């Protein structure tokens, strides 16, 4: 049971690492876009890497929750944008994956210069990300322990994810209804990417904090087990000592009893001898 929990925890950590790689790549692409270099090969590769890892992160989390649901289990603690409710987690993951796929589709349309359709797809994508963020906050808000550092990091990550998503929605509305403000739109679009990066860092730091806590728990269990074993050995040693002491006592009593018996026999023999000697003397006198 403990091994399964550890496996799911590690899978979650892998998913958050993927999420961080995606966020870093997205910041890189946003910087290229801000400087008018979005159509360079390196920028295109950066964008593709970003949304491949966003998608893989969502797929891994989705798979984890599907397995847990089939086993009738749930996550035993908060994990990134997810809650202890497996069904809600599945919905969040599906929406997250759809958002990533829509963004990739919009990128392909942008490369083909089908700008009108690209704008519509990006508009839908931004609202999908926002819905995912709002459901995440709804799911974790009543499960947060504000005395737990990792829980605080999870909550902060979800808030940052929501802020980034809100900025993206605003950008999409400006892009559709105020297209002349292109320079301002690009700057605002770039401003959302650091929130996604900070969000990903919070999620991974939360996992690292929990990993350290799990290692500490494991060490405490091992120390307790060793102390228990030492206690058993001490008790056994005391039992052996008590047994040896009782046996020695018994032997000592037997020796003492034997010595007393021999002493009594010797004394009896002496008395018998003393009785015989006067009788011999009397017999000699009679002769």
């Amino acid at each position: 049971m403990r091994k399964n929990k550890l496996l799911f925890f590690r899978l979650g950590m892998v998913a958050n690492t993927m999420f961080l790689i995606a966020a870093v790549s997205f910041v890189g692409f946003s910087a290229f876009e801000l400087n008018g270099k979005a159509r360079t090969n390196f920028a295109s590769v950066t964008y593709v890497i970003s949304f491949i890892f966003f998608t893989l992160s969502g797929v891994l989390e989705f798979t984890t929750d599907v397995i847990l649901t089939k086993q009738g289990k749930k996550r035993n603690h908060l994990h990134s944008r997810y809650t202890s409710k497996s069904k809600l987690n599945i919905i969040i993951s599906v929406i997250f994956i759809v958002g990533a796929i829509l963004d990739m589709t919009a990128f392909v349309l942008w490369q083909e210069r089908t700008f009108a359709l690209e704008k519509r797809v990006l508009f839908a994508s931004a609202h999908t990300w926002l819905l995912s963020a709002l459901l995440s906050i709804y799911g974790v808000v009543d499960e947060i322990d504000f005395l737990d550092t990792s829980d605080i990091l999870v909550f902060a990550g979800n808030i940052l994810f929501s802020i980034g998503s809100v900025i993206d929605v605003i950008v999409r509305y400006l892009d559709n209804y105020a297209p002349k403000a292109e320079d301002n739109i690009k700057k605002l679009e770039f401003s959302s990417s650091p929130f996604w990066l900070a969000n990903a860092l919070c999620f991974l730091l939360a996992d690292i904090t929990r990993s350290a806590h799990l290692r500490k728990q494991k060490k405490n269990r091992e120390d307790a087990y060793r102390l228990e074993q030492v206690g058993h050995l001490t008790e056994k040693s005391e039992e052996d000592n008590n047994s040896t002491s009782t046996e020695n006592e018994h032997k000592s009593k037997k020796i003492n009893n034997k010595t007393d018996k021999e002493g009594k026999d010797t004394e009896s023999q002496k008395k018998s001898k003393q009785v015989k000697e006067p009788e011999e003397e009397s017999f000699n006198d009679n002769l």
Side-chain angles (χ1 to χ4, degrees):
M1 181 69 74
R2 191 175 290 138
K3 286 182 180 178
N4 285 341
K5 285 182 180 178
L6 191 59
L7 173 63
F8 289 128
F9 174 79
R10 285 173 178 168
L11 286 174
M13 205 164 182
V14 170
N16 277 338
T17 303
M18 289 178 176
F19 190 75
L20 179 61
I21 294 169
V24 170
S25 302
F26 184 66
V27 169
F29 175 79
S30 297
F32 281 120
E33 189 176 34
L34 187 64
N35 292 292
K37 298 179 180 178
R39 287 193 177 273
T40 62
N41 289 334
F42 189 74
S44 297
V45 169
T46 304
Y47 188 92
V48 171
I49 288 171
S50 172
F51 282 90
I52 283 174
F53 276 96
F54 273 134
T55 306
L56 288 174
S57 169
V59 168
L60 188 54
E61 296 287 18
F62 170 79
T63 306
T64 299
D65 281 304
V66 167
I67 292 169
L68 286 169
T69 302
K70 284 187 175 181
Q71 292 179 350
K73 298 174 185 174
K74 61 181 182 179
R75 293 179 189 266
N76 60 330
H77 54 67
L78 291 174
H79 168 68
S80 69
R81 56 192 174 277
Y82 298 98
T83 72
S84 62
K85 308 172 187 77
S86 295
K87 289 181 180 177
L88 178 60
N89 292 342
I90 290 170
I91 293 168
I92 294 169
S93 291
V94 169
I95 294 170
F96 187 86
I97 293 165
V98 168
I101 292 170
L102 286 172
D103 260 306
M104 282 293 296
T105 305
F107 179 74
V108 172
L109 292 170
W110 176 75
Q111 290 280 47
E112 294 176 353
R113 297 182 184 275
T114 314
F115 298 123
L117 186 55
E118 178 226 356
K119 282 186 177 183
R120 291 193 188 99
V121 173
L122 282 174
F123 190 81
S125 165
H127 286 81
T128 305
W129 291 113
L130 181 59
L131 179 59
S132 170
L134 293 174
L135 285 173
S136 299
I137 291 176
Y138 165 76
V140 303
V141 72
D142 61 339
E143 296 184 6
I144 294 290
D145 178 2
F146 286 100
L147 297 176
D148 187 322
T149 305
S150 59
D151 274 16
I152 293 170
L153 286 167
V154 167
F155 186 69
N158 279 292
I159 294 295
L160 291 166
F161 183 73
S162 301
I163 293 170
S165 299
V166 168
I167 292 172
D168 280 343
V169 168
I170 293 169
V171 167
R172 299 284 71 90
Y173 275 99
L174 290 173
D175 196 26
N176 277 276
Y177 300 108
K180 291 182 180 179
E182 188 177 350
D183 290 339
N184 291 329
I185 289 170
K186 282 184 178 178
K187 289 176 184 177
L188 189 60
E189 190 170 18
F190 175 76
S191 71
S192 71
S193 55
F195 285 100
W196 287 51
L197 178 58
N199 150 43
L201 284 169
C202 282
F203 287 169
L204 194 57
L205 283 171
D207 279 346
I208 290 168
T209 304
R210 285 187 177 125
S211 180
H213 180 66
L214 287 172
R215 282 198 300 272
K216 188 177 179 181
Q217 279 186 329
K218 184 181 177 184
K219 186 178 181 300
N220 289 341
R221 284 196 302 269
E222 288 173 351
D223 289 346
Y225 177 75
R226 279 196 292 270
L227 286 170
E228 190 179 347
Q229 292 303 307
V230 169
H232 286 321
L233 289 171
T234 305
E235 284 177 10
K236 189 176 179 183
S237 176
E238 286 177 358
E239 284 175 6
D240 290 343
N241 288 338
N242 290 336
S243 177
T244 305
S245 175
T246 305
E247 192 177 332
N248 288 340
E249 244 179 74
H250 186 63
K251 284 180 180 178
S252 177
K253 282 181 181 178
K254 281 179 78 176
I255 291 167
N256 289 337
N257 289 338
K258 188 176 179 183
T259 306
D260 289 345
K261 188 177 179 184
E262 286 176 353
K264 286 177 181 178
D265 288 346
T266 305
E267 193 176 336
S268 177
Q269 285 174 3
K270 282 181 180 178
K271 285 181 180 178
S272 176
K273 191 175 178 183
Q274 286 174 357
V275 169
K276 282 181 181 179
E277 281 178 358
E279 285 179 355
E280 286 178 1
E281 286 176 3
S282 174
F283 177 76
N284 289 334
D285 288 342
N286 289 331
L287 284 176

